[in-house]
Amino acid sequence: STAVEEQLDPFSLVADELSLVADRLRSMVVAEVPKLASAAEYFFKLGVEGKRFRPTVRSSCPSEFHALLNGCNVGYYNVEDHVLEKVLLLMATALNVSVPRQLPVAAVDTLSVELRSRQQCIAEITEMIHVASLLHDDVLDDADTRRGIGSLNFVMGNKLAVLAGDFLLSRACVALASLKNTEVVSLLAKVVEHLVTGETMQMTTTSDQRCSMEYYMQKTYYKTASLISNSCKAIALLAGQTAEVSILAYERSTVWFYPLLSSVTMPTLSQLVDVYLWPGGLAFQLIDDVLDFTGTSTSLGKGSLSDIRHVLSLTFFLYSVALSGIVTAPILFAMEEFPELRDVVDQGFDNSANVDRALEYLGKSRGIQRTRELAAKHASLASAAIDSFPENDDEDVQRSRRALVELTQRVITRTK
Ligand code: FPP
Ligand code: FPP
Ligand code: MG
Ligand code: MG
């Protein structure tokens, strides 16, 4: 049976729980004003969340590119549907710490059911914050699609989209308060601050910042990594506290028992989250950057630019660089090899001669290849991190850990 299990989608482990989370999300965004309710529900409706992918084409590129790119099927889908909730729920199981076996079974069960539902609540809050930021992002980017359907600003207008984002954020706060845990509140409040900081950093760059790997990494942490990383920490925090509670309960009943305490301290669980997510999240982002160029898994490094789809996605990408002001890893690496590229980037890509020159540099550089190598290195660091999780031979825990290892592979082999 293990052979069959290995081939299963790692995320199938949390499939049932995901639909529970989706149901609860829908009920959490009910509002008194019908217009606001339907706006807020928009992304939590049945059917829509089943195929949550990134907008087919990134926003803010010239509209003729939308049609072209759609026409030749160069999409920017995110295959890791629901990736946020899945990772959070897998992490919740993977971080399970053994509670004293001597504790009455019923007591352990009650504690773990309670813990799980609090951890699910973190997944819901995280998704609400994420969607709120996407609603605002689409207003800022003037996007017309999101997750494969019309974006809310496109369907209902900017004003309602902004309000719907605010509303989701406030519902997330209400849910957060209900957990009655101020450390968890701090972690998720920090996420919101980071999202705003990252978005602002992206909007206001100098030429030097645009070409700095350090600035790019910092911005990426704020805009992308902080959400998943701090939410996982919240999940770890709840697990650590529950383990402590159960150990303390046990100690009170059997005064002579102490040794277990040492293996389950909270900071350790939080650190474990970082050891996996920092390299894992970075690998995810690096591959995202590669896919911006290639659109498919076919490597630009090896290939020619003759494939029309490549040329289109590259050209499109350079438009988005010009508009978003962010130069990503492949270009940064290419710039190391060909410092002249810096001038081209600085001049911008509104003229097609510059686009061609930049493409040429990238094509003859090892930019794409080096980005992939860097991603692979970090993915293996992430998967090694799972081995450092506290020993636990529970079947579910083991399976969730294997799924997280499998995820690091998917992150670097994904083609869209
Ligand atoms: C998507 O980026 C945008 C984000 C990940 C965050 C945007 C954050 C804000 C707008 C700050 C407001 C935050 C809250 C919580 C209300 P993208 O435009 O590069 O990618 P995409 O549009 O293709 O997904
Ligand atoms: C949202 O995806 C995805 C993110 C905000 C990126 C989070 C990154 C990871 C979970 C990578 C972690 C990987 C490892 C190996 C640690 P979504 O599917 O919800 O898409 P959306 O943009 O439509 O919301
Ligand atoms: Mg956007
Ligand atoms: Mg944006």
Side-chain angles (χ1 to χ4, degrees), residues 340-353:
E340 318 90 272
L341 178 56
R342 170 72 188 260
D343 291 334
V344 182
V345 170
D346 279 347
Q347 284 164 30
F349 299 110
D350 23 18
N351 105 40
S352 68

Side-chain angles (χ1 to χ4, degrees), residues 124-145:
E124 287 148 17
I125 292 164
T126 304
E127 183 67 13
M128 280 194 279
I129 294 174
H130 178 53
V131 172
S133 78
L134 296 181
L135 292 177
H136 286 186
D137 177 69
D138 286 341
V139 171
L140 293 173
D141 292 343
D142 209 8
D144 48 24
T145 57

